[in-house]
Amino acid sequence: EVQLVESGGGLIQPGGSLRLSCAASGFTVSSNYMSWVRQAPGKGLEWVSVIYSGGSTYYADSVKGRFTISRDNSKNTLYLQMNSLRAEDTAVYYCARGVVVVPAAIFYFDYWGQGTLVTVSS
Amino acid sequence: SYELTQPPSVSVSPGQTASITCSGDKLGDKYACWYQQKSGQSPVVVIYQDKKRPSGIPERFSGSNSGNTATLTISGTQAMDEADYYCQAWDSSTVVFGGGTKLTVL
């Protein structure tokens, strides 16, 4: 059974740093396209970052230069290092597994975690 | 950057057909998918690759995509279908979500 379990959220002051973790089971993180998606309170879904199976990484403009996505193959875990946090980064952060068919540009998320809440406030 | 536009809300009576649109420049040249998110829960994919249904998703959910518009159609809408719905596409190695549509069944 595929499971994604996020952790690491909490209350952090503006300018601070936080690292989110997403522990996966039932599949291999390094063989898949893995993403972080966030949702501010009462707002819609916002894609944050993706790491391809080959290791390439991409970011939304809103977090580029501040957030870093990575994975630990030995722990089968996905991470999101968040630096220089701002109030507008307050959101529930979900990790999600992507299903990709590259030549046809098919990309969708078939499994999502339950999310972890990050609150940036003084 | 690529943008997807959805109506903020759609209302439908039980048993009727609900249609939710998602607009983007030449969206029909890409593949669209749709997620359902009920209050307090994580999103669930209900349509992928424009019109395919994952296992476990009722047949009343269907999708289409042509020109600049993708459409999610729910036939015989039930009270349990009340949720937020998001379209999503992939463009230039980035994932794009629509703003979301709140479906009310009344």
Side-chain angles (χ1 to χ4, degrees):
Chain A
E1 180 192 7
V2 171
Q3 278 198 319
L4 296 167
V5 179
E6 301 96 334
S7 61
L11 175 64
I12 187 76
Q13 291 190 340
S17 298
L18 209 56
R19 188 179 81 158
L20 306 182
S21 300
C22 173
S25 57
F27 73 101
T28 302
V29 165
S30 61
S31 299
N32 286 269
Y33 284 42
M34 299 296 298
S35 259
W36 289 96
V37 176
R38 68 184 181 183
Q39 187 170 34
K43 303 297 184 181
L45 301 174
E46 180 188 14
W47 174 75
V48 173
S49 181
V50 65
I51 182 167
Y52 288 0
S53 53
S56 298
T57 59
Y58 298 90
Y59 300 90
D61 288 344
S62 58
V63 306
K64 201 173 296 183
R66 300 188 299 124
F67 290 10
T68 302
I69 191 171
S70 64
R71 65 193 181 204
D72 184 327
N73 297 345
S74 67
K75 296 182 178 179
N76 208 33
T77 298
L78 179 74
Y79 299 102
L80 185 68
Q81 177 66 43
M82 304 186 295
N83 299 331
S84 303
L85 283 161
R86 307 165 179 167
E88 54 265 37
D89 295 319
T90 294
V92 173
Y93 285 73
Y94 296 99
C95 70
R97 187 179 81 168
V99 176
V100 179
V101 180
V102 174
I106 296 167
F107 189 114
Y108 65 97
F109 299 113
D110 62 346
Y111 286 96
W112 297 66
Q114 85 288 348
T116 187
L117 175 62
V118 173
T119 304
V120 184
S121 175
S122 55
Chain B
S1 60
Y2 196 75
E3 294 185 357
L4 295 174
T5 302
Q6 299 179 232
S9 62
V10 168
S11 298
V12 64
S13 299
Q16 298 304 301
T17 297
S19 294
I20 300 173
T21 59
C22 173
S23 299
D25 184 48
K26 297 180 181 178
L27 180 56
D29 292 344
K30 309 178 189 300
Y31 283 102
C33 63
W34 292 89
Y35 301 92
Q36 176 193 69
Q37 186 181 33
K38 296 184 178 180
S39 181
Q41 298 183 17
S42 301
V44 172
V45 60
V46 294
I47 293 290
Y48 68 95
Q49 204 171 325
D50 291 342
K51 57 186 178 182
K52 295 186 176 182
R53 272 181 298 105
S55 60
I57 300 301
E59 289 185 10
R60 63 180 181 273
F61 288 86
S62 63
S64 64
N65 185 15
S66 179
N68 294 321
T69 304
T71 303
L72 173 69
T73 302
I74 309 172
S75 305
T77 306
Q78 300 183 10
M80 68 173 65
D81 300 329
E82 187 162 285
D84 294 325
Y85 290 86
Y86 297 90
C87 61
Q88 177 246 301
W90 192 32
D91 178 76
S92 301
S93 299
T94 62
V95 176
V96 182
F97 287 101
T101 299
K102 181 176 182 58
L103 178 67
T104 301
V105 183
L106 38 70

